[in-house]
Amino acid sequence: MMTQTQSDQVGYRVAVDIGGTFTDAVCLSPEGTVRPAKALSIPGMQDSSVLEAVERIGVGLAEVGDFIHGTTTALNALLERSGARLAMVVTRGFRDVYEIGRASRPEMYNIHYHRPPMLLRRRDVFEVAERVGADGEVVLPLDEAAVTALAARLAADYEAVAVCFLHAHRFTGHERRAKELISAAAPGLAVVASHEVAPQWREYERFSTTLVSAYVTPKIGDYLSRLETRLAVGGLPVPLHVMQSNGGVMTAQMGVRRAVQTLFSGPVGGTVAGVAIGAQLGVDRLICVDMGGTSFDVSLVVNGAADIDAELEIEGHPVLTPSVIMHSLGAGGGSIIHVESGGLRVGPESAGASPGPACYARGGERPTITDANLLLGRIPEDTRMAGTVALDRAAAERAMARAATELGLDVTRLAAGAVAVADAAMADAIRELTVARGIDPREFDLLAFGGAGPLHAVALAEELAIPRVIVPSAPGTLSAWGMLQADVRHDLVRAFFAVAARVPAGRVAEELRALRVEARGLLAAENVSPAQMVLQSSADLRYAGQEYTLTVPLPERVDGAALGEVTELFHAAYQERYGHSNPAEDVEIVNLRVAAIGVRPRPAMPPLQARPLPAPTRWARTVFSGEAHDTAVHDRTELGAGSRVIGPCIVLETGCTTLVPPGWQATLTEHGHLILERLT
């Protein structure tokens, strides 16, 4: 939401989320009315996709007082290995920390396992003379002349440099000075120091995080700078903000400095929306599933908050930055149906926006899940995808027939089989985030969104015995709407090693005060007023001698009694996560954290009015479990609060189709959300 200064200037607020197939835009008026729009994503021209989507919502940039963007630029650069030519500067004697890693085998029984490729080669790692001891004593001064000489070589061969010195997570002086020298001698280089992005213990994880951030910095910097310029030329009067992996927003300029925090900039918008929708409906446990054109993303809302972890791993690289826990796979409406080793496969390759599914009639010749849903009658033939793309059933049949012939099936059976394969893969993705972590999905509601999510939601709920499905208002653009529910957020961390029962409470309080001062400064730099600032403190704890930690909240005032309560919370959290605990063991504090939140006002959405249930706009012939049914088609915009439709039926709206199978019903709430439940 807007800072007070921004909200005083202009009322319109805009968010844009780029996907592999569509770019979604949402405009929120001061009165709370929502105006969504979609545009086809343009490969390699994301800034143009953003501007086209904004143009379709019909609001001039000069009228916008807050602009938030979710981008996949950093994530794609990492996944596609298209980031910067990268070098690393390390303490002499520690050249191989990154290459050795943890020397572990993540898939112990997989004889075909291959470690993901590293982001740089050993010859791209350069040593310099310097050494600071674990207690902060300077054992060997930084060789500044060597750093300056090295900078010229780096400028000639590389685009980005990661500076990672021993113990720099606590004692930052040498790293700061090395960055200053390199930046002065080679101003065109992107230089990222480890203490800026991951001031935490464990050298390998800190080095890895810094390398990932440096690797994506030039791309995200170029993209955001280009977009900011085009928006400013178009008349945008306020700074561009970007989503972070932690579910908060920050200015684009801050995003360039902390590029690693934009890795999940796009997908987390849906999770933030889930928190807001859960609050509206009084639901505090949600499984959020976002099925778009290219991918399927799963995240959780637990106890009314996004499920966030202090560390994640992506493509084999540990990253020390708070992020919404998310599991993704290549299963979307554009996922290609193909035959492999004599069996039916779906994805992970996607038709994307160009050429798109065969039924888009834009040159695609391979069948996709969208084609399958069209042939099964789950998407009516006269639907216009994203409100503009007409569908060609004959083209979908031709594409599907090629694979059907190879498998000896008819087109309808192949389409049904492909949908079943995709549903099974998506159900397994939900299990990865729930059952595999000791969480029972039956205790959650399923929040389904994205252009294709509500088409498959009930099948997933039935597979996992989830009792209720929620299809939110404007599900096709929910991630963009969720960005408008996000607060400004910065996560600060400071290494702090002590046994909780023996550390003076005053020492903990002193460290937290310093972090809070820094946190307020960051928020003030983003024009957040003191009244809007909320600071949340926590600590990373572990049993003595363990390697990994759990994060436990800290009270506002920390004293001896409070630390005792915190250790009890840790024992309880450990018991919940691992099924056992050891209250007799010493508990160690490893890190102190402060989440700096700038609360942004959220205008209330006007409630829907009740109205009589209208007759279906038309009827479709839809296949369920191998049998064709006459299926009512309803226009969602014609439904009022309390409207209830009985399956089988289809609820259509711009950008999304909701499928209500036989045996289910859907009821529209006053907030505009569809609640799908089994008929009793």
Side-chain angles (χ1 to χ4, degrees):
M1 317 333 288
M2 288 176 291
T3 64
Q4 193 65 47
T5 301
Q6 292 167 333
S7 62
D8 289 342
Q9 291 174 351
V10 187
Y12 289 109
R13 303 179 56 245
V14 171
V16 181
D17 174 38
I18 289 185
T21 304
F22 290 103
T23 297
D24 303 332
V26 168
C27 176
L28 183 63
S29 74
E31 297 76 31
T33 57
V34 176
R35 189 184 308 170
K38 277 181 172 285
L40 283 169
S41 298
I42 306 171
M45 300 177 63
Q46 287 193 341
D47 51 328
S48 296
S49 302
V50 170
L51 293 172
E52 182 175 347
V54 172
E55 184 177 345
R56 292 193 178 189
I57 60 177
V59 173
L61 286 172
E63 303 174 84
V64 175
D66 189 26
F67 197 112
I68 303 173
H69 181 37
T71 173
T72 57
T73 300
L75 181 61
N76 289 344
L78 182 61
L79 296 179
E80 297 168 1
R81 290 298 191 270
S82 60
R85 295 193 308 276
L86 184 60
M88 180 163 63
V89 179
V90 301
T91 303
R92 189 169 64 195
F94 291 84
R95 186 181 186 187
D96 298 309
V97 167
Y98 172 63
E99 185 168 357
I100 293 172
R102 286 290 165 194
S104 60
R105 188 182 184 89
E107 300 177 25
M108 186 177 299
Y109 300 108
N110 180 3
I111 62 174
H112 301 292
Y113 173 78
H114 291 283
R115 181 181 178 183
M118 297 188 296
L119 298 179
L120 78 175
R121 303 154 298 183
R122 188 173 188 269
R123 63 174 177 266
D124 301 319
V125 182
F126 302 90
E127 299 176 304
V128 296
E130 75 85 31
R131 186 67 179 268
V132 177
D135 58 357
E137 177 188 0
V138 177
V139 178
L140 181 66
L142 176 67
D143 188 341
E144 296 191 3
V147 173
T148 301
L150 176 61
R153 179 178 176 185
L154 297 175
D157 297 328
Y158 301 97
E159 298 170 310
V161 178
V163 183
C164 304
F165 289 163
L166 194 65
H167 302 309
H169 62 291
R170 296 184 67 190
F171 309 107
T172 64
H174 282 183
E175 259 196 14
R176 290 179 185 274
R177 182 57 179 157
K179 178 176 178 177
E180 290 173 359
L181 293 170
I182 295 171
S183 297
L189 277 177
V191 185
V192 180
S194 73
H195 72 272
E196 297 173 317
V197 295
Q200 301 177 54
W201 72 298
R202 293 160 56 202
E203 281 78 14
Y204 167 59
E205 285 78 5
R206 176 162 55 90
F207 285 21
S208 172
T209 304
T210 310
L211 283 167
V212 169
S213 195
Y215 186 67
V216 301
T217 290
K219 276 216 164 183
I220 192 72
D222 289 346
Y223 169 65
L224 291 178
S225 296
R226 188 169 64 252
L227 179 59
E228 274 196 301
T229 299
R230 294 188 68 177
L231 291 172
V233 170
L236 184 68
V238 292
L240 172 66
H241 282 75
V242 295
M243 280 296 298
Q244 301 182 67
S245 299
N246 60 16
V249 300
M250 60 182 169
T251 62
Q253 294 303 315
M254 182 68 74
V256 175
R257 295 198 295 272
R258 300 183 177 181
V260 70
Q261 295 178 4
T262 68
L263 284 174
F264 293 107
S265 172
V268 299
T271 316
V272 177
V275 173
I277 291 167
Q280 289 177 346
L281 299 177
V283 177
D284 66 354
R285 298 171 75 85
L286 288 168
I287 298 172
C288 305
V289 295
D290 180 1
M291 184 180 182
T294 304
S295 65
F296 177 80
D297 302 314
V298 187
S299 59
L300 301 180
V301 173
V302 181
N303 298 326
D307 189 19
I308 294 176
D309 202 352
E311 178 180 349
L312 66 114
E313 182 173 299
I314 180 167
E315 290 290 287
H317 290 83
V319 178
L320 298 176
T321 185
S323 301
V324 172
I325 302 173
M326 192 156 306
H327 186 73
S328 302
L329 75 157
S335 293
I336 292 173
I337 301 165
H338 59 284
V339 179
E340 183 178 308
S341 302
L344 179 61
R345 302 287 185 268
V346 177
E349 185 182 359
S350 172
S354 179
C359 62
Y360 284 12
R362 297 167 60 92
E365 296 182 350
R366 303 174 70 184
T368 68
I369 290 297
T370 296
D371 297 306
N373 280 314
L374 176 63
L375 296 176
L376 293 171
R378 300 178 177 195
I379 302 175
E381 292 181 40
D382 57 354
T383 301
R384 286 188 173 269
M385 304 299 281
T388 60
V389 181
L391 300 181
D392 185 340
R393 180 185 176 91
E397 288 180 338
R398 288 193 299 272
M400 197 73 68
R402 298 185 185 96
T405 300
E406 191 171 350
L407 288 172
L409 299 173
D410 63 47
V411 166
T412 301
R413 287 187 63 191
L414 176 61
V419 169
V421 168
D423 287 344
M426 291 186 286
D428 283 344
I430 295 174
R431 292 187 183 99
E432 283 286 328
L433 211 59
T434 55
V435 177
R437 300 169 62 212
I439 297 171
D440 188 347
R442 296 172 297 182
E443 298 175 356
F444 287 69
D445 288 344
L446 185 71
L447 179 71
F449 54 97
L455 265 174
H456 297 257
V458 171
L460 298 177
E462 289 181 332
E463 173 70 19
L464 298 164
I466 296 172
R468 191 164 72 153
V469 172
I470 301 169
V471 178
S473 176
T477 55
L478 189 76
S479 288
W481 181 81
M483 294 173 190
L484 296 176
Q485 313 307 309
D487 295 317
V488 174
R489 177 167 177 150
H490 296 288
D491 288 285
L492 289 78
V493 60
R494 180 168 295 186
F496 185 95
F497 298 95
V499 176
R502 295 196 286 271
V503 63
R507 183 178 160 214
V508 177
E510 181 181 353
E511 293 284 349
L512 283 174
R513 275 195 296 271
L515 276 175
R516 287 168 179 157
V517 168
E518 184 180 351
R520 292 189 182 94
L522 286 171
L523 293 176
E526 300 222 32
N527 295 323
V528 177
S529 69
Q532 294 171 294
M533 296 181 184
V534 174
L535 305 183
Q536 299 174 345
S537 304
S538 59
D540 294 343
L541 305 179
R542 66 180 183 184
Y543 286 122
Q546 288 192 329
E547 176 75 6
Y548 295 98
T549 63
L550 291 177
T551 302
V552 175
L554 291 175
E556 182 69 24
R557 182 179 177 84
V558 178
D559 54 24
L563 286 179
E565 294 172 4
V566 169
T567 57
E568 292 302 317
L569 287 175
F570 169 75
H571 295 313
Y574 201 96
Q575 179 74 36
E576 182 177 358
R577 175 68 65 88
Y578 300 110
H580 64 91
S581 61
N582 189 1
E585 181 62 76
D586 281 339
V587 175
E588 295 178 330
I589 302 174
V590 176
N591 296 309
L592 297 176
R593 298 180 180 274
V594 169
I597 298 171
V599 178
R600 312 176 81 175
R602 296 169 174 83
M605 296 176 62
L608 289 179
Q609 300 300 311
R611 64 176 72 167
L613 180 66
T617 60
R618 55 197 179 281
W619 292 81
R621 195 74 174 157
T622 307
V623 176
F624 297 97
S625 301
E627 295 184 5
H629 294 251
D630 289 326
T631 303
V633 179
H634 291 275
D635 185 337
R636 186 165 178 171
T637 61
E638 296 180 0
L639 302 180
S643 292
R644 184 168 70 103
V645 294
I646 306 298
C649 71
I650 294 169
V651 182
L652 277 183
E653 61 189 296
T654 300
C656 188
T657 303
T658 300
L659 183 67
V660 185
W664 285 71
Q665 63 181 355
T667 306
L668 195 67
T669 72
E670 66 172 352
H671 302 99
H673 310 310
L674 276 173
I675 306 297
L676 279 64
E677 298 172 296
R678 291 180 180 86
L679 288 169
T680 55

